[in-house]
Amino acid sequence: MAKTMSRAGAELLQAVEQMHQDKRGRVYTPEQLLAISARQSANRTQREFAKLLNVSVHSVRDWEQGRHSPRGAAKTLLRIAQTHPDILSQTAP
């Protein structure tokens, strides 16, 4: 059974192909990739993920779009969400 590639995965693949052709595509920071990966691991929308982390949806959007970087406890929560998404679900009210 073939897996469907996520939108972020398709964008990353396109960026790699463009790099191979010496073209500049979209560039992701490590913090953006962490935020995107953590949310996708938790299988949540930006709004749902923000609620789980007890942050605003604007913060999640800003992290994923590279306008701001998560710091401190937020960055730690993203790492936990990325590797153990089930833990965040257990803490949901």
Side-chain angles (χ1 to χ4, degrees):
M1 178 189 300
K3 284 190 170 186
T4 304
M5 187 179 302
S6 70
R7 183 173 152 222
E11 287 180 8
L12 288 172
L13 181 59
Q14 181 182 15
V16 169
E17 289 170 350
Q18 289 173 344
M19 285 172 37
H20 183 70
Q21 298 170 5
D22 289 332
K23 293 180 183 177
R24 186 148 196 154
R26 184 171 182 172
V27 178
Y28 290 90
T29 66
E31 289 81 9
Q32 278 179 279
L33 293 174
L34 173 62
I36 293 167
S37 173
R39 183 176 61 81
Q40 289 178 342
S41 292
N43 197 28
R44 303 291 177 134
T45 65
Q46 288 178 335
R47 186 172 303 283
E48 292 168 339
F49 194 60
K51 190 173 183 178
L52 276 178
L53 296 180
N54 198 29
V55 299
S56 73
V57 69
H58 299 290
S59 292
V60 172
R61 288 181 186 145
D62 287 345
W63 296 339
E64 290 188 7
Q65 294 174 6
R67 288 189 292 260
H68 297 286
S69 294
R71 297 180 1 201
K75 198 169 188 177
T76 300
L77 279 173
L78 289 174
R79 287 188 187 124
I80 292 169
Q82 183 181 36
T83 56
H84 305 288
D86 53 311
I87 290 175
L88 284 183
S89 297
Q90 293 173 13
T91 64

